[in-house]
Amino acid sequence: MTIQLDDHVIHELHYDEIKQVLKDEPFASFLGMKLTKLGLGTAEAELIPDDRMLNAHGTVHGAIIFSLADYVFAAASNSYGKTAVGVTTNVNFISAGNRGETLTAKAKEIKKNHKLAWYKIDVQNENELIATMEAMVYRKSHYFVNQDK
């Protein structure tokens, strides 16, 4: 028999461990992304793009914008301490980002059930919306936090 753990309880009991795992995400760290907020099914992160993150037109490369959106998507969907893996994403690039400006991504859970969850992510600079993402995860039965606490 499988015991169903309460997501909210796991989040509260293991918040520091969950946040540390998500803050230490290697690719996000490599790009200089900073996780600034983490809640139940929500996350925010910032990035200040440098010259290496620009495209041939001198604006922030779409892969960088996607990566920032994907990072908060991963953080929000894994905020319960349960392993969640991306299944699908749809990104709309709305405006260009520029070198040196702070880009902020915010993820919000729209709905979740035992196996799937859906998220809405916005990426913006100080003045305008840069991109939006809609995304879905598959929620595995594995928890990445120590439940013996």
Side-chain angles (χ1 to χ4, degrees):
M1 179 170 104
T2 302
I3 297 173
Q4 187 69 12
L5 301 171
D6 183 273
D7 287 337
H8 292 79
V9 171
I10 296 292
H11 175 83
E12 294 298 322
L13 287 175
H14 301 280
Y15 178 80
D16 291 335
E17 182 182 358
I18 293 167
K19 188 171 184 183
Q20 194 60 51
V21 166
L22 299 172
K23 281 180 74 172
D24 291 342
E25 201 279 326
F27 187 66
S29 296
F30 171 74
L31 291 176
M33 296 178 191
K34 306 286 186 226
L35 184 65
T36 57
K37 292 184 183 176
L38 181 68
L40 284 166
T42 65
E44 294 183 21
E46 293 180 345
L47 172 67
I48 301 174
D50 61 29
D51 289 336
R52 300 169 300 155
M53 300 175 180
L54 304 181
N55 60 28
H57 305 291
T59 58
V60 178
H61 197 286
I64 298 298
I65 295 167
F66 177 89
S67 294
L68 182 59
D70 187 57
Y71 178 46
V72 294
F73 166 45
S77 63
N78 283 276
S79 65
Y80 301 100
K82 188 174 191 178
T83 302
V85 294
V87 174
T88 185
T89 62
N90 181 44
V91 179
N92 297 296
F93 296 100
I94 298 167
S95 187
N98 298 298
R99 181 188 63 79
E101 68 184 3
T102 301
L103 298 182
T104 303
K106 298 178 182 181
K108 179 182 176 187
E109 189 173 84
I110 303 303
K111 182 170 177 60
K112 78 174 174 65
N113 60 37
H114 179 66
K115 289 291 182 187
L116 300 172
W118 295 263
Y119 295 83
K120 170 82 167 83
I121 299 98
D122 288 332
V123 179
Q124 57 191 57
N125 63 16
E126 293 91 350
N127 302 313
E128 63 185 330
L129 188 63
I130 301 294
T132 63
M133 175 188 277
E134 294 175 345
M136 180 177 69
V137 293
Y138 174 75
R139 303 179 74 225
K140 295 179 144 191
S141 58
H142 171 264
Y143 285 84
F144 62 87
V145 294
N146 180 3
Q147 298 170 49
D148 294 332
K149 288 184 177 180

